[in-house]
Amino acid sequence: MKFGIFYELQLPRPWQPGGELQLYQNALDQVELADRLGYDYAWEVEHHFLEEYSHSPAPEVFLAAASQRTKRIRLAHGIMQLTTTHPARCAERIAALDLVSNGRVEFGTGESASVTELQPFGVAFDEKRAIWEEAIRAIIPMFGEGGVEHHGKYFDMPLRNVLPKPVQKPHPPLWVACSQLETIEMAGRRGLGALAFQFLSADAAHAWVHAYYNAFTKRQQKLADYVTNPNLAITSYFMCAETDDEARRRADGIPFFQFALRFYGQSAMRERPAPGTVNLWDEYEKWKRANQEAHQRALSGGLIGSPETLRQKLRKFETSNIDSVILLNQAGKNTHEDSCESLKLVAREVMPEFHAHIPEHEEWKAKVLAREIELEEIDTQPFRDRYGPNSVQLTPAQAAE
């Protein structure tokens, strides 16, 4: 199993002068550290206008900066919004990043999940899947030699040679975000790597891995002529310390992350309030004071704990044949120092066991893709809950207060 780190670049209020500067520099320091420690991926999100939750609208800039401070770690868009950027601009940015990183880009794609992000760009929420699909069809030929043209419903471009071209041929590995668990099956059907949230149980992980690879091998329908990328990665809440209690003490930003997802997820099309009208951190603090037991339960999930606790949890994922785990390394007001110490502890005491099993996993995957191993078709309907009883719970009324 491989390991990645993931950044939303969260900045809860109150905002201080230089806060965003420190946020970015700390994250870049952490990516540089992760590269030295042997982590496999650094994932950076793209979001727009989401106060406190994410101050990361230009992942290509962040990842380009990281490329000059690292040597081997894969630099991954988690994701680039294909709905808010013209396909030619997407292809240009991916190729340029591949060049400055010497061929280390992972091209994660997605639609955006919020009308707050889409509306300013003139994108209709109910058309975002169709726009994403057309964008994939438009972008892939642009990575090839010579000119291409595209004439579709959402994009129209005359014959042009989109330059530069990426180092990785014919293109960097392709992924798609799976914000809803059922999208995992779609990712497999499209032949794309799946970026998913952590599953609530080993049974759920087992079922979704089977759904993904069965769709990949039996029902594949590619959107364009691209190289497939059979990979299922899960993003997990994360903090590691010498003891479980200390890890939970340091991880207060994790329930804030969950709170933000639920607070805004209750609204129609996940629309956010007008700028400056909600202090999300204050709302979280009010919820925490009124729900102390629920707050503690929220710290019991994910990969939060001692190295031994993390090893036990990861062994369950490993038996389900997850390809990689992406550690949510920056959330809320978790400190830079704690994040760095956490990364070091995992690299020293956890990763080696699971890195050692990568060849065995790759052998299993090769047999699955060759249909030498037939995976059971498992009903995923019982495993569609993304949050679970231990996560932050909010009613629509609480989110609207």
Side-chain angles (χ1 to χ4, degrees):
M1 195 157 53
K2 295 182 178 180
F3 290 80
I5 54 176
F6 182 85
Y7 291 90
E8 294 271 3
L9 296 181
Q10 297 198 330
L11 191 64
R13 286 182 170 90
W15 294 335
Q16 305 294 336
E20 287 180 323
L21 174 62
Q22 194 63 59
L23 173 69
Y24 269 71
Q25 295 304 318
N26 285 348
L28 287 169
D29 286 347
Q30 290 168 27
V31 174
E32 184 176 355
L33 173 64
D35 180 60
R36 294 200 305 269
L37 293 172
Y39 286 82
D40 302 286
Y41 299 98
W43 294 89
E44 176 72 7
V45 78
E46 177 182 350
H47 279 309
H48 303 276
F49 320 120
L50 304 187
E51 294 181 332
E52 300 185 71
Y53 180 74
S54 176
H55 291 228
S56 178
E60 70 280 357
V61 176
F62 179 89
L63 292 172
S67 76
Q68 302 308 291
R69 299 174 59 164
T70 58
K71 297 185 183 304
R72 56 163 299 279
I73 197 167
R74 301 287 296 177
L75 302 171
H77 278 269
I79 48 74
M80 180 181 283
Q81 289 183 7
L82 304 192
T83 46
T84 58
T85 307
H86 190 279
R89 296 293 289 127
C90 293
E92 290 167 344
R93 292 173 184 179
I94 290 296
L97 180 58
D98 210 37
L99 289 165
V100 301
S101 68
N102 197 24
R104 289 188 281 139
V105 175
E106 302 281 322
F107 186 14
T109 71
E111 308 166 6
S112 171
S114 167
V115 68
T116 298
E117 299 185 75
L118 294 169
Q119 190 177 50
F121 297 103
V123 177
F125 187 87
D126 60 357
E127 294 187 303
K128 62 190 183 75
R129 173 60 57 84
I131 296 171
W132 170 79
E133 290 183 350
E134 184 179 320
I136 292 287
R137 294 187 180 101
I139 290 169
I140 296 305
M142 295 176 182
F143 290 130
E145 299 301 323
V148 296
E149 57 186 303
H150 178 84
H151 306 288
K153 180 178 179 181
Y154 301 104
F155 304 105
D156 191 88
M157 193 180 89
L159 182 65
R160 294 291 188 274
N161 191 0
V162 179
L163 300 168
K165 304 300 183 185
V167 175
Q168 299 176 87
K169 303 298 182 186
H171 53 74
L174 302 173
W175 301 74
V176 62
C178 302
S179 57
Q180 303 298 321
L181 288 174
E182 54 266 29
T183 314
I184 294 171
E185 187 278 334
M186 183 276 290
R189 185 162 39 86
R190 296 306 191 189
L192 305 172
L195 296 170
F197 281 87
Q198 179 174 311
F199 305 112
L200 300 181
S201 67
D203 287 342
H206 181 75
W208 282 110
V209 167
H210 280 225
Y212 174 79
Y213 279 105
N214 279 330
F216 197 103
T217 57
K218 300 176 185 178
R219 297 178 283 276
Q220 190 174 119
Q221 296 175 311
K222 295 199 299 183
L223 290 167
D225 185 19
Y226 46 73
V227 176
T228 58
N229 180 32
N231 268 294
L232 178 54
I234 59 167
T235 303
S236 175
Y237 304 123
F238 167 65
M239 182 63 72
C240 187
E242 292 292 348
T243 67
D244 290 347
D245 286 344
E246 180 62 16
R248 286 192 286 267
R249 188 189 69 78
R250 297 179 180 187
D252 188 56
I254 297 303
F256 170 78
F257 188 99
Q258 296 181 31
F259 178 87
L261 285 175
R262 302 308 294 267
F263 189 87
Y264 290 134
Q266 305 283 359
S267 59
M269 297 182 287
R270 299 183 186 174
E271 185 172 11
R272 270 58 168 179
T277 59
V278 171
N279 184 316
L280 192 58
W281 184 262
D282 281 355
E283 295 296 328
Y284 166 63
E285 287 289 321
K286 285 192 293 185
W287 173 85
K288 184 167 67 171
R289 287 192 296 270
N291 299 273
Q292 294 183 24
E293 290 185 8
H295 176 259
Q296 288 304 306
R297 285 198 304 272
L299 290 167
S300 67
L303 294 172
I304 300 173
S306 67
E308 178 56 30
T309 294
L310 266 57
R311 284 194 294 269
Q312 291 176 9
K313 291 184 176 184
L314 286 166
R315 285 167 187 154
K316 295 178 182 178
F317 290 136
E318 188 176 50
T319 61
S320 300
N321 288 297
I322 299 294
D323 290 289
S324 62
V325 172
I326 307 170
L327 306 172
L328 186 66
N329 195 50
Q330 188 270 332
K333 295 185 179 182
N334 290 354
T335 71
H336 173 59
E337 293 74 20
D338 288 346
S339 294
C340 290
E341 185 176 335
S342 187
L343 289 173
K344 291 175 184 177
L345 198 54
V346 167
R348 185 175 68 245
E349 299 190 24
V350 179
M351 280 199 324
E353 173 184 335
F354 299 95
H355 270 169
H357 299 161
I358 289 175
E360 181 181 345
H361 172 70
E362 292 298 322
E363 182 180 353
W364 171 87
K365 183 158 65 172
K367 290 180 179 179
V368 169
L369 295 174
R371 303 290 295 274
E372 294 174 21
I373 295 177
E374 288 288 335
L375 299 181
E376 179 188 359
E377 296 278 0
I378 300 174
D379 181 13
T380 57
Q381 195 60 44
F383 307 111
R384 300 202 170 206
D385 184 359
R386 172 178 164 183
Y387 296 103
N390 290 331
S391 67
V392 171
Q393 305 291 319
L394 293 178
T395 66
Q398 288 175 307
E401 290 175 357

